Structure formats: structure tokens, C-alpha cells
């Protein structure tokens, strides 16, 4: 019962650090401005269309490659044989594997670009300072590590590290003035 009062109902015994977690209402509005930027700039349907196009292209390419006897012969299978399971393995591992990596990096770069654009949208709404505060609170509350190698994060993280975002938001705020 004591645990329930402390954690769920916010009863006595709650430390001051627990009481200060979370964003203010104004900061939540700034985050909402960022999310509205994603909607306004079409960041929801653009990746969906791109991924569907890539998937369609992969099905088309698979349809061509699965019938290609020369490709199987190049991988050491006797001509005229059609080992379907091995053709699937060859196509998915040796052909689609590198293609998937290229598409994955491209998708990550696009998503990061969209994040910066949505941040700029929130700054355009006059919510830059509040957005910065909310990002810092989110990192603190979630115990995230704010530092990351620039090259690694560029190709791996869908969202830029918070320090990079804060720097770009400050630059956008200077442009607005």
C-alpha cells in the first residue's frame, strides 16, 4: 500500500527529484508543435510511399532473379537445375543484403532530415526555447546518454542526438530573429 501511495498517487515520501520529472504544459505544446511539423511537412506519407516503392521494386527484382539460371550457375549450381530454396538464399543474402543496407542508411538519413525540419517548424511557431527545454528534460528523465559519435549516429540513429538538435535549434532561432 505504501508503494502505491508513493508511486501512483504521489503520496508522501516522494523525493523532490521524482516530483520534478516531466515537461511543463508549455513544453508539451512545443513538442506538439514539432509533431505537427511532421504532419504539415508530409513526413508521415512520404516514407510510406518510398518504402512501398522499394518493396515493389524488390518484388520485381526477385521475380526476375529467381528465374535467372545463369546467376545460379555463377554460384556453382549445375546449369538446368532450379534449386528454389538455394535461389532464395542467394538472392536474399547476397543481392538483397547489400541493397537493404543502402536503403536502411538512406531511410535513416531521410528520417534525421525530417527531424530537423520538424524542429525548425516548431521554432517557426515561436516554440524554440520551450522545445529545447523539453528535449533536455526528456533526455534527463529517460536517462539517455546525450553524447554519440557523429559518424556512427548519422548512419545509425533515426533521431539525431540531443546536443546536435539543440545546436541546430539555436541556429534556427538566430535565423528567425
Amino acid at each position: 500500500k505504501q508503494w502505491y501511495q508513493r508511486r501512483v498517487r504521489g503520496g508522501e515520501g516522494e523525493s523532490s527529484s521524482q516530483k520534478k520529472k516531466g515537461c511543463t504544459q508549455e513544453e508539451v505544446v512545443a513538442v506538439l508543435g514539432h509533431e505537427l511539423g511532421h504532419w504539415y511537412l508530409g513526413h508521415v506519407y512520404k516514407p510510406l510511399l518510398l518504402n512501398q516503392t522499394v518493396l515493389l521494386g524488390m518484388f520485381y527484382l526477385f521475380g526476375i532473379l529467381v528465374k535467372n539460371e545463369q546467376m545460379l550457375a555463377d554460384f556453382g549450381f549445375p546449369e538446368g537445375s532450379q534449386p528454389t530454396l538455394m535461389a532464395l538464399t542467394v538472392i536474399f543474402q547476397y543481392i538483397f543484403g547489400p541493397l537493404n543496407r543502402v536503403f536502411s542508411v538512406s531511410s535513416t538519413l531521410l528520417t534525421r532530415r525530417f527531424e530537423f525540419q520538424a524542429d525548425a517548424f516548431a521554432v517557426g511557431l515561436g516554440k524554440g526555447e520551450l522545445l529545447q527545454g523539453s528535449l533536455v528534460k526528456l533526455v534527463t528523465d529517460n536517462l539517455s546518454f546525450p553524447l554519440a559519435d557523429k559518424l556512427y549516429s548519422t548512419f545509425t540513429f533515426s533521431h539525431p542526438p540531443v546536443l546536435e538538435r539543440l545546436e541546430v535549434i539555436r541556429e534556427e532561432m538566430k535565423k528567425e530573429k
Side-chain angles (χ1 to χ4, degrees), residues 111-125:
T111 303
R112 289 171 60 91
R113 181 174 175 222
F114 286 168
E115 285 302 313
F116 287 126
Q117 288 176 351
D119 286 345
F121 185 86
V123 169
L125 295 175

Side-chain angles (χ1 to χ4, degrees), residues 100-113 115 147-161 164:
N100 282 336
R101 187 64 188 146
V102 170
F103 292 134
S104 174
V105 168
S106 301
S107 177
T108 300
L109 293 174
L110 182 66
T111 303
R112 289 171 60 91
R113 181 174 175 222
E115 285 302 313
L147 300 176
D149 180 69
K150 184 146 176 91
L151 187 62
Y152 179 79
S153 68
T154 298
F155 293 106
T156 309
F157 297 170
S158 63
H159 286 63
E164 191 176 336

Side-chain angles (χ1 to χ4, degrees), residues 55-120:
L55 189 61
L56 185 64
M58 289 178 77
F59 278 131
Y60 177 74
L61 186 60
F62 177 78
I64 292 171
L65 293 175
V66 78
K67 298 174 191 171
N68 189 339
E69 291 182 17
Q70 181 60 46
M71 180 193 68
L72 292 173
D74 291 344
F75 278 95
F77 295 101
E79 289 193 38
S81 67
Q82 189 68 24
T84 306
L85 185 58
M86 293 310 296
L88 289 171
T89 303
V90 167
I91 292 169
F92 281 106
Q93 187 171 5
Y94 295 109
I95 296 172
F96 284 170
L99 287 177
N100 282 336
R101 187 64 188 146
V102 170
F103 292 134
S104 174
V105 168
S106 301
S107 177
T108 300
L109 293 174
L110 182 66
T111 303
R112 289 171 60 91
R113 181 174 175 222
F114 286 168
E115 285 302 313
F116 287 126
Q117 288 176 351
D119 286 345

Side-chain angles (χ1 to χ4, degrees), residues 1-11 14:
K1 183 176 177 180
Q2 291 174 346
W3 179 88
Y4 176 78
Q5 287 178 337
R6 282 195 313 269
R7 297 285 183 203
V8 179
R9 294 179 52 194
E14 190 173 11

